[in-house]
């Protein structure tokens, strides 16, 4: 292992610095994300988040949510930065999501929040952007 690699690992092992930075938005994976609060009342509303995922079963599970905060952690070096998204996650079980078989559109029950509310952070690099439309009946 090279000298610079072992120094970087040592710096990561110290953990993040105590000071964090928060942002209203972030550009990652070709998308511009804005927090829900920042986007409120604007013409574009870029807070929809999707994580393509899978579970231990044979069925793939995608997670859908809204971006609440963008957080930057720095690990004792300018090169060692990590961006996290804190999200409000929707329930993606059968009671919270439905996929139209003909159009493959995903319908989310916006009132059904994911039960594990302690697991709200994801790496920004994991996220894809989605757009929500709301039907008022």
């Amino acid at each position: 292992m090279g000298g610079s690699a072992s120094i970087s690992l040592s710096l990561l092992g110290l953990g993040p610095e105590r000071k964090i930075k928060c942002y209203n938005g972030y550009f990652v994976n070709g998308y511009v994300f804005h927090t829900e609060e920042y986007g409120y009342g604007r013409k574009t509303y870029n807070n929809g988040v999707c994580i393509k995922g899978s579970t231990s079963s044979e069925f793939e599970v995608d997670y859908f949510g809204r971006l609440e905060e963008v957080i930057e952690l720095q690990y004792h070096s300018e090169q060692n930065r990590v961006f996290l998204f804190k999200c409000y996650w929707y329930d993606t079980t059968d009671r919270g999501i439905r996929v139209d078989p003909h159009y493959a559109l995903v319908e989310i029950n916006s009132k059904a929040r994911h039960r594990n509310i302690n697991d709200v952070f994801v790496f920004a690099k994991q996220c894809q952007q989605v757009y929500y439309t709301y039907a008022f009946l």
Side-chain angles (χ1 to χ4, degrees):
M1 190 180 258
S4 64
S6 53
I7 291 171
S8 293
L9 285 174
S10 297
L11 291 173
L12 287 173
L14 294 173
E17 294 180 3
R18 293 187 182 267
K19 188 173 91 175
I20 64 168
K21 294 180 183 176
C22 295
Y23 300 95
N24 290 326
Y26 188 62
F27 179 80
V28 65
N29 299 332
Y31 305 108
V32 175
F33 290 93
H34 290 134
T35 61
E36 185 173 20
E37 181 180 350
Y38 179 80
Y40 184 78
R42 297 183 184 267
K43 290 181 181 179
T44 58
Y45 209 56
N46 301 336
N47 69 351
V49 175
C50 175
I51 303 291
K52 292 287 190 181
S54 62
T55 60
S56 57
S57 71
E58 67 217 39
F59 302 105
E60 184 176 295
V61 177
D62 296 336
Y63 297 91
F64 296 90
R66 297 187 321 255
L67 179 60
E68 293 180 334
E69 291 183 64
V70 178
I71 299 167
E72 177 189 5
L73 298 178
Q74 192 162 327
Y75 284 82
H76 304 283
S77 160
E78 187 63 35
Q79 294 81 23
N80 293 323
R81 297 181 302 159
V82 175
F83 288 88
L84 300 174
F85 284 175
K86 179 183 177 190
C87 299
Y88 175 101
W89 296 107
Y90 294 115
D91 184 1
T92 54
T93 63
D94 289 340
R95 68 181 197 92
I97 191 170
R98 186 177 70 170
V99 179
D100 183 282
H102 184 69
Y103 297 106
L105 291 174
V106 178
E107 185 178 339
I108 303 285
N109 178 356
S110 63
K111 292 183 172 86
R113 183 171 185 159
H114 196 276
R115 293 174 196 240
N116 190 359
I117 59 172
N118 294 322
D119 193 12
V120 295
F121 294 99
V122 294
F123 291 111
K125 288 185 177 184
Q126 294 175 290
C127 296
Q128 295 180 2
Q129 195 166 61
V130 294
Y131 295 96
Y132 299 113
T133 57
Y134 298 95
F136 299 101
L137 303 175

